[in-house]
């Protein structure tokens, strides 16, 4: 309820501020919504949106494939931790734009390069989450399972995985936040379609209405995914957790 | 009585931070008969948990002999160690699956021990939804329902408030009198040891210092003055020695309110 109220308030403030500025510089919510509706009615918006979504999903999957094993390894093995620690930090520090440029220069202006750039950018932060999660595994529960004669695979599946899974979920969510942003950037410099391409296109035409309309579209889609897909999954998977009153 | 646990010249050393070797267990000899209730009494850091870990097979690095026969080993830890993502019943099922207890026996075993501990109505509760005392009872049910021949207990009630701990101790005796499992119970609480045990071994600095039988008839009552008298004797006889323990204890033993109806000085000494 508070969430809805705060969003309504934000739209009102947006509207009020836009009244003080000319519409070419800062269009109001109604105008932006009308522009967005016009784009939707034209129909080719869906192609751009689908391409962006495809890159986001593929990038996230690849980032998880790269990031999770490295994180697990770092959590389990001290030597691996010592060696990889600095590389994860470097991976985090290098600006995503550098990865994007390098990927396009090495692999060409194609879809594969875009997805690689996206995944490489997000992988280090996923690794950090998983690394932390594996280090926090409660070994007392493992000792308990051993007393009850649980086999090694059973311990991994029934005692370790459930402890690590929340961190995988958290890192996927966190990774997604990063991936949205880098995807738009990658599309801007190296793809002929997608939300980022469109934003850049309208930027070059200095059409603020369109820029805001596409930003709005992107934000709405992102919120929908968060509220309609990720939250319910989380609620179902972590039903056993105590509710924390904040 | 056939011996179920046999330990001979058991030694174990730890390397401390400076690389110096420190003896945790020094030449322990121990025989526990079938159906016996043995308490090992000693201060924190005296090696009693290490001994239990060796008996449970969790710790395999030691010198000397240690063998446990007479069936599976059940273990009750200081904390419940329940899997928080499983319900009470799910936790029992986990243990039953791991120990390969035939599924046809599950419901009978679960019902029996849940009823004995008063948890029958809590099958579908998650660990965070029940109190600490109930969680520890559930851990006891989990240890019992895999039908161990030997039950090892590592200060299982020291984290509970005294009223709850008393109730569970009495329940444990009732269950033990019905099932006659062999129990090795580690504690630093002399009163608890005198209430529960057939025999008490006092341990300090990695060695057994004294052995004594508890001559009090069963069933016992928690308020029996004989138990109080005996626990005082235990402390008088061995307290000074334990006080001069050369091994620095890892965790300072301070559990308030373990013996609530004694004056504070006696209580402080009682709780070695």
């Amino acid at each position: 309820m508070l969430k809805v109220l705060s969003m309504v308030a934000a739209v009102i403030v947006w509207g009020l501020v836009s009244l003080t500025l000319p519409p070419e510089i800062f269009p109001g919510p109604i105008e932006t919504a009308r522009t967005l509706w016009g784009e939707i009615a034209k129909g080719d918006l869906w192609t751009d949106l689908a391409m962006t979504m495809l890159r986001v999903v593929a990038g996230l999957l690849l980032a998880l494939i790269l990031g999770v094993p490295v994180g697990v390894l770092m959590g389990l093995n001290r030597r691996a931790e010592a060696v990889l620690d600095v590389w994860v930090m470097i991976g985090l520090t290098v600006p995503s734009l550098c990865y994007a440029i390098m990927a396009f220069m090495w692999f060409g202006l194609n879809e594969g390069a875009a997805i690689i750039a996206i995944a490489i950018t997000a992988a280090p932060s996923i690794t950090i989450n998983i690394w932390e999660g594996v280090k926090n595994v409660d070994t007392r529960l493992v000792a308990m399972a051993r007393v009850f004669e649980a086999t090694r695979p059973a311990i991994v599946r029934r005692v370790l995985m459930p402890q690590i899974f929340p961190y995988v979920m958290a890192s996927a969510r966190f990774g997604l936040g990063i991936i949205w942003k880098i995807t738009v950037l990658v599309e801007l410099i190296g793809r002929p379609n997608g939300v980022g391409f469109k934003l850049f296109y309208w930027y070059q035409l200095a059409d603020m209405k369109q820029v805001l309309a596409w930003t709005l579209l992107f934000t709405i889609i992102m919120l929908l995914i968060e509220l309609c897909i990720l939250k319910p999954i989380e609620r179902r998977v972590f039903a056993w957790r105590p509710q924390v009153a904040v | 009585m056939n011996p179920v646990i046999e330990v001979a010249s058991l030694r174990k050393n730890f390397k401390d931070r400076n690389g110096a070797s420190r003896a945790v267990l020094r030449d322990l000899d121990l025989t526990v008969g079938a159906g016996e209730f043995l308490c090992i009494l000693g201060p924190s850091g005296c090696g009693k948990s290490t001994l239990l870990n060796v008996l449970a097979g969790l710790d395999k690095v030691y010198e000397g002999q240690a063998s446990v026969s007479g069936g599976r080993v059940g273990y009750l830890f200081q904390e419940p160690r329940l899997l928080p993502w499983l319900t009470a019943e799910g936790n029992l099922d986990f243990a039953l699956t791991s120990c390969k207890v035939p599924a046809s026996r599950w419901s009978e075993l679960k019902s029996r021990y849940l009823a004995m501990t008063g948890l029958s109505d809590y099958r579908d509760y998650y660990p965070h939804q029940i109190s600490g005392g109930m969680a520890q009872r559930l851990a006891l049910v989990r240890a019992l329902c895999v039908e161990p021949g030997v039950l090892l207990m590592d200060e299982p009630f020291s984290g509970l408030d005294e009223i709850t701990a008393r109730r569970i101790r009495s329940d444990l005796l009732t269950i033990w009198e019905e099932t006659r499992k062999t129990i090795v119970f580690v504690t630093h609480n002399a009163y608890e040891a005198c209430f529960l045990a057939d025999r008490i071994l006092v341990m300090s600095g990695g060695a057994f210092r004294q052995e004594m039988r508890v001559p009090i008839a069963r069933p016992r009552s928690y308020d029996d003055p004989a138990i109080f008298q005996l626990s005082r004797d235990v402390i008088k006889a061995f307290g000074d020695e334990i006080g001069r323990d050369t091994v620095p204890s890892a965790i300072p033993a301070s559990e308030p309110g373990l013996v609530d109806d004694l004056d504070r000085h006696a209580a402080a000494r009682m709780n070695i």
Side-chain angles (χ1 to χ4, degrees):
Chain A
M1 195 59 223
L2 276 175
K3 265 184 216 167
V4 177
L5 273 178
S6 79
M7 279 202 247
V8 171
V11 171
I12 291 171
V13 170
W14 176 11
L16 291 175
V17 173
S18 72
L19 291 178
T20 66
L21 292 162
E24 323 62 270
I25 292 173
F26 196 66
I30 295 165
E31 239 165 321
T32 307
R34 197 178 294 139
T35 314
L36 179 56
W37 185 247
E39 287 292 290
I40 291 170
K42 260 198 285 171
D44 42 348
L45 168 145
W46 301 116
T47 326
D48 290 305
L49 201 57
M51 283 316 290
T52 300
M53 293 299 295
L54 187 79
R55 287 169 196 137
V56 164
V57 172
L60 178 65
L61 285 180
L62 187 59
L64 283 170
I65 290 169
L66 294 173
V68 173
V70 176
V72 170
L73 184 69
M74 288 175 75
L76 292 177
N77 187 314
R78 259 163 205 258
R79 215 164 285 166
E81 187 177 10
V83 172
L84 291 169
D85 185 359
V86 63
W87 290 105
V88 172
M89 291 308 152
I90 291 172
L92 270 181
T93 317
V94 174
S96 46
L97 186 60
C98 301
Y99 291 126
I101 291 171
M102 284 191 279
F104 284 131
M105 287 177 77
W106 280 335
F107 308 118
L109 289 170
N110 54 51
E111 219 53 69
I115 289 165
I116 287 170
I118 293 163
I120 297 280
T121 306
S125 57
I126 288 174
T127 295
I128 284 188
N129 262 294
I130 303 294
W131 173 21
E132 205 60 39
V134 174
K135 278 206 293 192
N136 282 337
V137 159
D138 190 347
T139 51
R140 295 175 314 167
L141 292 178
V142 178
M144 181 279 294
R146 280 176 56 204
V147 165
F148 286 100
E149 300 167 20
T151 56
R152 242 167 190 285
I155 289 177
V156 170
R157 197 167 47 82
R158 301 197 62 187
V159 181
L160 294 180
M161 300 271 263
Q163 292 189 65
I164 297 171
F165 192 68
Y167 292 92
V168 176
M169 271 303 283
S171 65
R173 248 171 113 179
F174 194 65
L176 203 57
I178 297 171
I179 282 173
W180 285 119
K181 294 174 186 165
I182 171 69
T183 302
V184 175
L185 193 72
V186 165
E187 286 172 345
L188 183 152
I189 63 171
R191 302 309 305 141
N193 50 31
V195 177
F197 168 80
K198 280 287 177 191
L199 276 168
F200 190 57
Y201 174 78
W202 292 118
Y203 161 70
Q204 284 173 317
L205 294 181
D207 189 332
M208 195 61 196
K209 261 188 261 176
Q210 287 286 6
V211 170
L212 274 186
W214 280 89
T215 307
L216 183 67
L217 171 73
F218 200 64
T219 312
I220 290 170
I221 299 286
M222 206 193 71
L223 276 176
L224 283 178
I225 288 176
E226 171 73 27
L227 294 176
C228 302
I229 299 177
L230 293 178
K231 274 266 169 71
I233 290 180
E234 218 175 41
R235 214 171 295 142
R236 180 173 289 197
V237 172
F238 301 126
W240 57 270
R241 278 191 174 178
Q243 298 271 316
V244 178
V246 180
Chain B
M1 267 195 309
N2 319 321
V4 169
I5 297 175
E6 283 178 290
V7 172
S9 323
L10 178 63
R11 283 184 303 276
K12 182 170 175 66
N13 297 313
F14 271 138
K15 286 249 158 60
D16 66 16
R17 258 180 225 160
N18 309 322
S21 184
R22 189 162 78 75
V24 192
L25 301 175
R26 301 165 199 254
D27 276 317
L28 294 183
D29 294 307
L30 171 69
T31 309
V32 186
E36 190 180 357
F37 199 133
L38 172 76
C39 274
I40 297 175
L41 176 67
S44 303
C46 74
K48 50 197 188 343
S49 298
T50 312
L51 172 62
L52 276 199
N53 284 342
V54 168
L55 293 179
L58 284 175
D59 190 340
K60 296 197 170 83
V61 187
Y62 56 86
E63 295 165 61
Q65 279 93 52
S67 74
V68 179
S69 52
R72 175 177 293 134
V73 171
Y75 200 114
L76 196 57
F77 297 90
Q78 198 167 350
E79 330 80 35
R81 301 202 190 183
L82 301 165
L83 299 174
W85 52 87
L86 297 179
T87 59
E89 187 157 18
N91 270 283
L92 301 181
D93 291 347
F94 171 79
L96 290 162
T97 313
S98 299
C99 288
K100 301 192 182 62
V101 175
S104 55
R105 308 211 45 224
W106 285 18
S107 75
E108 174 216 328
L109 288 167
K110 284 188 285 190
S111 308
R112 179 174 175 210
Y113 291 111
L114 283 171
M116 275 187 183
T117 49
L119 288 174
S120 300
D121 296 335
Y122 295 91
R123 286 169 183 255
D124 298 327
Y125 283 61
Y126 285 99
H128 74 89
Q129 295 170 317
I130 59 180
S131 69
M134 286 159 84
Q136 194 61 311
R137 274 169 202 270
L138 182 60
L140 177 61
V141 173
R142 181 179 61 185
L144 287 167
C145 74
V146 298
E147 304 212 280
V150 177
L151 200 51
L152 307 175
M153 306 176 89
D154 186 3
E155 302 194 9
F157 310 135
S158 65
L160 302 175
D161 66 88
E162 182 55 24
I163 308 287
T164 309
R166 271 188 186 200
R167 221 174 273 152
I168 305 185
R169 280 179 205 130
S170 302
D171 287 355
L172 174 64
L173 273 195
T174 313
I175 291 169
W176 176 73
E177 273 153 26
E178 261 175 63
T179 58
R180 288 287 163 172
K181 309 242 180 248
T182 310
I183 297 184
V184 177
F185 189 107
V186 156
T187 180
H188 58 226
N189 181 336
Y191 199 94
E192 181 177 47
C194 293
F195 173 62
L196 293 171
D198 292 324
R199 179 161 62 115
I200 298 174
L201 278 169
V202 178
M203 190 174 184
S204 81
F208 295 133
R209 303 294 177 185
Q210 295 281 351
E211 177 182 45
M212 61 181 308
R213 305 220 152 252
V214 180
I216 299 162
R218 297 180 190 274
R220 293 175 185 168
S221 145
Y222 205 88
D223 302 315
D224 189 341
I227 295 173
F228 175 57
Q229 188 58 45
L230 185 69
S231 70
R232 212 156 54 177
D233 294 347
V234 170
I235 288 162
K236 255 191 207 132
F238 319 123
D240 292 338
E241 186 173 2
I242 287 166
R244 280 191 275 101
D245 191 4
T246 50
V247 180
S249 48
I251 311 146
S254 65
E255 229 92 30
L258 271 170
V259 184
D260 45 351
D261 44 8
L262 300 170
D263 66 276
R264 280 170 63 204
H265 179 69
R269 302 203 59 199
M270 191 72 85
N271 180 19
I272 302 181

